[in-house]
């Protein structure tokens, strides 16, 4: 990885350079919260945000998208059109970068690649930024504290400067054109290490650091704990909607009023939804919230690991914030701690 340094006051020039060629999506304030949204001025961007309500997942996998349109009278199907604007996701935290990498592993699997996701992914640059953990963050426990090298640039604030980790040629060229780029000095590296250490100390120490989580998920699969945890679930799907790594979807065909034309749409779905595991004939493989919550936690903390060698949950903490009845992987970690793990 190549490291460079720019002065803090050059960041607006970098964003302006991106805006010449890309739609820029960045964290902005909405009331007392933060969201990712399109911006047309550097002044709208908030870079020291704690976390956003939802992840930037929607820019790679919209909550609803048309896959193709059909005309039954003409027996015609339009090719899918994925008119994706060239975008920069600017100011993304490490957990969300790793979350998008998890989505990437799913949707670019060569056995069943997803052209819609791929088109968006190919048109998107990612500029990450270092963060300070908030109360519900536990990316450090999910091996997601550092962004895996799937970004184009990653900025770390080291005082009046940013240490810039460069991940792509296209972003490096834009950086070089917009800013006075310097080699990192020993003092810059020392400052970077100090920032990293301070960040590590800032994580909420009340969230237990449990080892061998996948094994524990198997060992306690039948424990009454799941009745207590899952029994509280309201099936509202808020957890899945804010999660950077939930990727399940449903497919619907919608007919226009005449009945001859229509479209096939993909919409987000969630395994916490009562109908999610219902099949033809009416059988439901997970009819209770207890089974659904346990399934969700199992996939996040164990199931994905078997095929992708990393946990699906990246520890962003959003579901802990969103859930009205305190269901989240944090509660599972606390349960394992109570069991002496
Ligand atoms: S399960 Fe919760 S903490 Fe884990 S990635 Fe999803 S929203 Fe974040
Ligand atoms: S776990 Fe919480 S956020 Fe998720 S569906 Fe159940 S009640 Fe809603």
């Amino acid at each position: 990885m190549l490291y460079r340094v720019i002065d803090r006051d050059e960041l607006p020039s970098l964003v302006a350079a991106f805006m010449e060629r890309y739609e820029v999506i960045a964290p902005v304030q909405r009331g007392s919260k933060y969201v990712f949204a399109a911006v047309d001025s550097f002044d709208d961007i908030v870079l020291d945000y704690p976390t956003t309500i939802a992840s930037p997942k929607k820019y790679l996998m919209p909550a609803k998208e048309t896959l193709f349109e059909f005309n039954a009278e003409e027996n015609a199907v339009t090719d899918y059109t994925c008119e994706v604007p060239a975008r920069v996701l600017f100011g993304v935290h490490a957990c969300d970068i790793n979350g998008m990498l998890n989505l990437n592993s799913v949707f670019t699997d060569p056995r069943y690649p997803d052209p819609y996701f791929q088109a968006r992914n190919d048109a998107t640059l990612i500029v990450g930024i270092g963060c300070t953990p908030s109360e519900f963050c536990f990316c450090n426990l999910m091996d997601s504290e550092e962004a895996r090298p799937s970004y184009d640039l990653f900025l770390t604030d080291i005082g009046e400067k940013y240490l810039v980790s460069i991940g792509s040629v296209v972003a490096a060229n834009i950086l070089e054109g917009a800013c006075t780029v310097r080699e990192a000095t020993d003092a810059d590296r020392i400052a970077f290490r100090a920032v990293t250490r301070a960040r590590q100390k800032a994580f909420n120490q009340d969230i237990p650091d449990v080892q061998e989580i996948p094994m524990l998920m198997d060992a306690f699969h039948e424990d009454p704990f799941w009745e207590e945890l899952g029994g509280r679930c309201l099936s509202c799907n808020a957890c899945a909607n804010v999660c950077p790594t939930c990727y399940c979807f449903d497919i619907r065909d919608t007919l226009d009023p005449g009945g001859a034309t229509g479209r096939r749409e993909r919409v987000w779905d969630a395994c916490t939804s009562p109908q999610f595991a219902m099949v033809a004939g009416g059988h439901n493989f997970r009819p209770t919230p207890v089974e659904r919550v346990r399934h969700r936690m199992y996939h996040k903390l164990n199931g994905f690991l078997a095929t992708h060698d990393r946990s699906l949950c990246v520890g962003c903490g959003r579901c802990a914030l969103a859930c009205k009845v305190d269901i989240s992987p944090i509660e599972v970690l606390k349960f394992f701690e109570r069991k002496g793990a």
Side-chain angles (χ1 to χ4, degrees), residues 302-320:
N302 181 327
F304 192 79
L305 199 84
T307 45
H308 297 91
D309 208 27
R310 57 184 182 266
S311 150
L312 181 56
C313 175
V314 292
C316 74
R318 287 189 180 93
C319 59

Side-chain angles (χ1 to χ4, degrees), residues 138 239 242-245 296 300 312-320 329:
F138 60 103
C239 49
V242 299
C243 180
T245 64
R296 180 168 197 271
K300 293 293 178 190
L312 181 56
C313 175
V314 292
C316 74
R318 287 189 180 93
C319 59

Side-chain angles (χ1 to χ4, degrees), residues 11-294:
L11 215 49
S13 303
L14 178 61
V15 171
F18 279 129
M19 283 176 175
E20 286 175 15
R21 291 166 51 187
Y22 297 88
E23 179 186 41
V24 174
I25 308 294
V28 300
Q29 190 154 8
R30 289 274 189 277
S32 61
K33 304 271 173 69
Y34 300 87
V35 299
F36 279 99
V39 293
D40 50 25
S41 163
F42 177 79
D43 295 339
D44 295 336
I45 301 175
V46 182
L47 286 176
D48 59 349
Y49 68 103
T51 192
T52 50
I53 297 171
S55 78
K57 170 178 78 176
K58 63 184 176 184
Y59 294 103
L60 298 180
M61 183 191 173
K64 179 179 176 183
E65 68 181 324
T66 300
L67 303 182
F68 58 78
E69 294 183 331
F70 51 83
N71 186 323
E73 281 177 348
E74 297 175 5
N75 198 24
V77 175
T78 59
D79 279 344
Y80 79 89
T81 48
C82 204
E83 292 176 10
V84 184
R87 277 191 183 123
V88 177
L89 299 181
F90 192 90
V92 183
H93 289 168
C95 60
D96 282 338
I97 292 174
N98 293 333
M100 286 189 277
L101 190 62
N102 285 353
L103 299 183
N104 216 302
S105 300
V106 172
F107 288 112
T108 63
D109 185 322
R111 290 171 299 172
Y112 29 78
D114 185 299
Y116 307 95
F117 180 94
Q118 281 189 335
R120 290 193 166 82
N121 197 44
D122 291 347
T124 302
L125 300 185
I126 298 173
V127 179
I129 192 149
C131 58
T132 302
S134 57
E135 182 188 354
F136 294 109
C137 293
F138 60 103
C139 59
N140 57 326
L141 308 180
M142 294 288 118
D143 195 24
S144 277
E145 187 180 354
E146 304 293 334
R148 294 188 177 88
S150 58
Y151 51 79
D152 295 276
L153 299 175
F154 196 93
L155 310 169
T156 303
D157 188 337
I158 54 170
E160 290 305 306
K161 296 176 273 189
Y162 285 100
L163 185 80
V164 187
S165 174
I166 297 174
S168 77
V169 173
V170 61
N173 289 339
I174 293 169
L175 179 77
E176 295 268 357
C179 306
T180 305
V181 178
R182 304 190 299 282
E183 300 271 341
T185 64
D186 286 347
D188 295 328
R189 291 190 188 90
I190 290 168
F192 175 73
R193 281 198 289 275
V195 167
T196 304
R197 274 198 301 276
R199 186 168 176 278
Q200 285 164 345
K201 283 185 185 160
F203 281 99
N204 182 351
Q205 301 300 315
D206 291 338
I207 303 176
D209 183 1
V210 176
Q211 304 300 306
E212 305 292 348
I213 296 168
M215 184 271 289
L216 293 169
M217 290 298 289
D218 281 331
F220 291 103
H221 194 254
E222 302 301 330
D223 195 279
F225 162 74
W226 297 107
E227 297 281 337
E228 189 276 316
L229 188 78
R232 304 202 295 257
C233 179
L234 308 168
S235 304
C236 68
N237 295 344
C239 49
N241 288 341
V242 299
C243 180
T245 64
C246 278
Y247 54 82
C248 291
F249 57 82
D250 197 6
I251 299 281
R252 295 176 189 160
D253 284 349
T254 306
L255 283 175
D256 294 327
T261 59
R263 62 205 51 78
R264 178 160 295 179
E265 294 169 331
R266 161 155 75 182
V267 293
W268 287 358
D269 203 349
C271 60
T272 43
S273 170
Q275 298 83 22
F276 184 84
M278 186 177 281
V279 294
H283 180 70
N284 194 333
F285 284 95
R286 288 188 289 275
T288 69
V290 171
E291 292 158 306
R292 293 192 289 271
V293 166
R294 182 175 64 180

